[in-house]
C-alpha cells in the first residue's frame, strides 16, 4: 500500500515527496505527466535534485516509488483500466498538491484546480469504497478567504461565500475545498492552506522564482507605494512541507483545517525592508502609500508591454492585491501541532535574493547523469505508457 501524491514535479510537491521518502517508510504512488518511464524519471529528478543526490534519488525510485504515467485533467488520469484499478487497490492515503498557479487564466484554473481535483476525489471515493482510505490531505491556499483587508483570519472563518475573490486561482481553490467536504464526508480529511510560500529558511536555493522576482523588483524601488506597518504573511517552503507531511502521517490530527502561515508573527514591510537594508548594506526605501492607486495603474500599463518590462509588470499585477491587503492568517493550530513557529522571512531573504539574482532567476538544474542507464524499467508494478 502507498501514499498517492499529485504535483510531485512541482515546487511544493517536490518537498512533500522528499520529506516522505527521507523521513518515513511508506511507498509512494506518483502521477507524472510523461510519454515514457524515462521521461517521467527525468522530470522527477529535475524536481527532486533540490533535495536528494542522484544515488539517493535512484535508490528511492527503484525501491519505493511507483510511477503512473497520466494526466491529472483526463478522465481516470488517462490510464488504462488495469493501471487505474492498480492505483485504486494500492492507495491507502492521498496528498493532493497539484494545482495551476496561473492567477490570470480562468480556463487553466478551472481545468486543473476543479477538473483535476474532481478526478483525485473520485479516486479517493473508489479507494474508500474498495478498502478504506486512511487520510485524504488537500493542499489549498489562504486565498480562499477572498477579498479582505486589515484582518487576522482564523481557519473556521476563512470561507465566506458572499465575499468576492481576487482571481480565478482563489475561486477554484475555494470550490475545490467545497467538493472535498461534500464528496468525501466519510473519509478522514485534512485541508492545508499555505500563505505566500517563498524560499527555504535552511538554504538559499529555490526552483520557484515568480514571487521572488516580484519582491526583487519592489526591493529596487527607492519609493514603495505601500503602508509601512502593513503585515505580509510569508512562510518558507520547508515549514509548509514539514507541516503537511507530519500531520498527514498522524493517526488523529487535532483539526481538519490548518493555516500554514506566519500568523501574528508576520512581519511588516518596514521590518522587512529595514532588515534587508541592514544585511545588504543598502538604504531602506521611502514609503508613500498615497501612490498606491497610481502605481497599480502603472503596473497594469506595463503588464501590456512586451519583453522584460511587460513580464515584470505582469508579475506585479498578479501579486499586487496580495501585497496590499494587510491580512494575516492565524497559525496557532499548526504551531501547536508541530511545536514550532516558521522562520521569519527577514532571516533568509537576503541569501534567497542573492542566489536568485546570481542565477538570473533560473535554477541551475543538473541533467540526468551521462553514466546512468538511459532507460531503466519502471519499479515493479509501475504503470506503463
Amino acid at each position: 500500500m502507498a501514499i498517492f501524491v499529485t504535483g510531485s514535479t512541482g515546487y511544493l510537491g517536490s518537498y512533500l515527496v522528499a520529506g516522505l521518502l527521507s523521513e518515513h517508510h511508506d511507498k509512494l504512488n506518483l502521477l507524472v505527466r510523461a510519454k515514457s518511464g524515462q521521461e517521467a524519471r527525468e522530470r522527477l529528478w529535475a524536481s527532486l535534485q533540490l533535495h536528494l543526490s542522484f544515488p539517493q534519488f535512484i535508490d528511492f525510485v527503484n525501491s519505493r516509488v511507483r510511477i503512473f504515467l497520466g494526466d491529472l485533467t483526463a478522465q481516470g488520469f488517462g490510464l488504462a483500466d488495469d493501471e487505474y484499478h492498480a492505483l485504486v487497490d494500492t492507495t491507502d492515503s492521498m496528498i493532493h498538491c497539484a494545482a495551476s498557479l496561473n492567477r490570470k487564466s480562468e480556463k487553466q484554473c478551472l481545468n486543473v484546480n476543479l477538473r483535476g481535483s474532481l478526478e483525485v476525489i473520485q479516486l479517493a471515493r473508489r479507494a474508500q469504497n474498495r478498502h478504506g482510505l486512511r487520510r485524504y490531505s488537500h493542499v489549498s491556499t489562504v486565498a480562499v478567504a477572498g477579498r479582505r483587508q486589515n484582518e487576522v483570519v482564523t481557519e473556521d472563518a476563512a470561507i465566506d461565500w458572499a465575499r468576492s475573490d481576487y482571481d480565478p486561482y482563489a475561486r477554484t481553490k475555494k470550490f475545490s475545498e467545497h467538493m472535498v467536504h461534500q464528496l468525501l464526508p466519510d473519509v478522514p480529511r485534512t485541508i492545508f492552506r499555505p500563505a505566500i510560500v517563498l524560499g527555504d529558511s535552511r538554504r538559499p536555493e529555490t526552483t520557484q522564482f515568480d514571487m521572488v522576482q516580484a519582491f526583487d523588483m519592489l526591493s529596487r524601488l527607492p519609493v514603495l507605494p505601500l503602508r509601512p506597518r502593513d503585515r505580509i504573511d510569508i512562510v518558507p517552503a520547508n515549514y509548509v512541507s514539514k507541516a503537511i507531511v507530519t500531520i498527514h502521517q498522524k493517526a488523529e490530527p487535532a483539526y481538519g483545517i490548518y493555516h500554514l502561515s506566519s500568523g501574528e508573527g508576520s512581519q511588516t514591510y518596514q521590518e522587512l525592508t529595514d532588515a534587508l537594508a541592514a544585511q545588504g548594506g543598502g538604504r531602506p526605501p521611502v514609503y508613500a502609500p498615497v501612490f498606491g492607486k497610481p502605481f497599480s495603474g502603472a503596473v497594469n500599463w506595463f503588464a501590456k508591454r512586451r519583453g522584460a518590462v511587460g513580464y515584470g509588470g505582469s508579475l506585479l499585477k498578479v501579486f499586487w492585491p496580495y501585497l496590499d491587503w494587510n491580512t494575516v492568517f492565524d497559525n496557532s493550530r499548526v504551531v501547536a501541532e508541530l511545536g514550532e513557529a516558521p522562520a521569519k522571512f527577514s532571516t533568509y531573504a537576503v541569501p534567497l535574493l542573492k542566489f536568485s539574482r546570481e542565477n538570473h532567476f533560473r535554477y541551475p538544474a543538473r541533467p540526468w547523469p551521462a553514466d546512468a542507464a538511459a532507460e531503466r524499467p519502471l519499479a515493479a508494478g509501475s504503470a506503463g505508457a
Side-chain angles (χ1 to χ4, degrees):
M1 302 301 288
I3 303 172
F4 176 65
V5 183
T6 67
S8 59
T9 59
Y11 180 62
L12 182 56
S14 74
Y15 274 82
L16 300 180
V17 170
L20 289 167
L21 290 174
S22 301
E23 300 162 19
H24 298 273
H25 301 289
D26 304 76
K27 292 186 176 182
L28 303 184
N29 287 336
L30 303 182
L31 183 71
V32 179
R33 189 174 66 251
K35 295 179 180 179
S36 68
Q38 180 60 21
E39 182 186 346
R41 280 185 290 271
E42 290 182 10
R43 289 197 67 202
L44 280 173
W45 167 236
S47 173
L48 291 171
Q49 62 183 253
L50 187 65
H51 313 280
L52 304 171
S53 69
F54 188 74
Q56 288 176 310
F57 167 79
I58 283 296
D59 180 58
F60 283 139
V61 166
N62 289 337
S63 62
R64 289 173 51 196
V65 172
R66 185 170 180 175
I67 297 173
F68 291 82
L69 306 178
D71 184 341
L72 184 75
T73 63
Q75 183 173 356
F77 307 127
L79 300 173
D81 287 347
D82 59 337
E83 295 168 346
Y84 189 83
H85 293 152
L87 183 57
V88 172
D89 291 342
T90 61
T91 294
D92 88 322
S93 74
M94 304 171 66
I95 302 178
H96 179 34
C97 182
S100 169
L101 302 178
N102 189 337
R103 299 176 186 272
K104 295 184 294 183
S105 173
E106 185 162 2
K107 179 181 178 181
Q108 190 168 346
C109 286
L110 285 170
N111 197 33
V112 177
N113 299 344
L114 287 184
R115 180 76 180 89
S117 290
L118 182 59
E119 284 298 328
V120 177
I121 290 169
Q122 288 176 323
L123 173 67
R125 179 75 270 155
R126 291 173 178 126
Q128 171 72 2
N129 293 344
R130 180 66 179 264
H131 51 70
L133 203 62
R134 178 175 63 84
R135 179 159 303 284
Y136 181 94
S137 289
H138 186 88
V139 182
S140 186
T141 170
V142 295
V144 298
R147 291 185 178 273
R148 307 262 179 170
Q149 197 156 39
N150 309 322
E151 293 185 53
V152 177
V153 182
T154 62
E155 285 89 347
D156 295 336
I159 298 291
D160 179 356
W161 290 98
R163 193 179 295 269
S164 298
D165 303 300
Y166 280 115
D167 49 40
Y169 170 70
R171 190 174 308 118
T172 53
K173 295 295 279 186
K174 180 168 70 176
F175 199 81
S176 291
E177 283 194 27
H178 182 65
M179 290 195 299
V180 171
H181 293 304
Q182 293 296 309
L183 302 178
L184 300 175
D186 55 335
V187 175
R189 58 197 184 276
T190 308
I191 304 293
F192 295 102
R193 296 179 185 147
I196 297 172
V197 181
L198 190 55
D200 187 316
S201 63
R202 305 164 302 178
R203 59 190 176 205
E205 293 84 7
T206 184
T207 58
Q208 185 186 59
F209 293 101
D210 282 357
M211 196 66 183
V212 182
Q213 281 187 275
F215 269 90
D216 175 65
M217 286 183 284
L218 289 173
S219 72
R220 297 177 186 273
L221 296 177
V223 178
L224 281 178
L226 297 165
R227 296 175 294 272
R229 291 183 178 83
D230 278 9
R231 291 185 290 179
I232 182 166
D233 201 325
I234 298 173
V235 64
N238 53 302
Y239 186 85
V240 171
S241 63
K242 179 179 180 179
I244 295 172
V245 169
T246 300
I247 295 171
H248 179 82
Q249 294 294 68
K250 285 196 170 189
E252 295 184 7
Y255 299 96
I257 306 174
Y258 292 88
H259 284 162
L260 308 184
S261 59
S262 290
E264 295 281 10
S266 298
Q267 294 179 283
T268 66
Y269 286 113
Q270 183 94 59
E271 289 172 331
L272 287 176
T273 54
D274 285 352
L276 290 175
Q279 295 174 51
R283 298 178 61 181
V286 174
Y287 284 89
V290 68
F291 293 129
K293 288 186 178 180
F295 179 80
S296 179
V299 163
N300 290 337
W301 185 85
F302 281 118
K304 298 175 183 177
R305 306 302 100 185
R306 294 182 178 180
V309 170
Y311 180 69
S314 295
L315 285 176
L316 285 177
K317 181 180 178 180
V318 166
F319 292 119
W320 178 252
Y322 298 97
L323 300 178
D324 193 43
W325 65 347
N326 189 34
T327 299
V328 299
F329 299 85
D330 181 72
N331 68 349
S332 55
R333 289 181 178 180
V334 71
V335 170
E337 200 82 76
L338 297 186
E340 62 178 297
K344 294 184 180 299
F345 183 55
S346 64
T347 63
Y348 65 91
V350 169
L352 172 65
L353 284 172
K354 184 173 184 291
F355 169 82
S356 301
R357 290 166 178 167
E358 289 177 348
N359 289 280
H360 307 289
F361 300 95
R362 296 185 65 182
Y363 181 70
R366 302 187 301 279
W368 188 270
D371 58 350
E375 180 72 45
R376 295 171 181 258
L378 290 170
S382 294

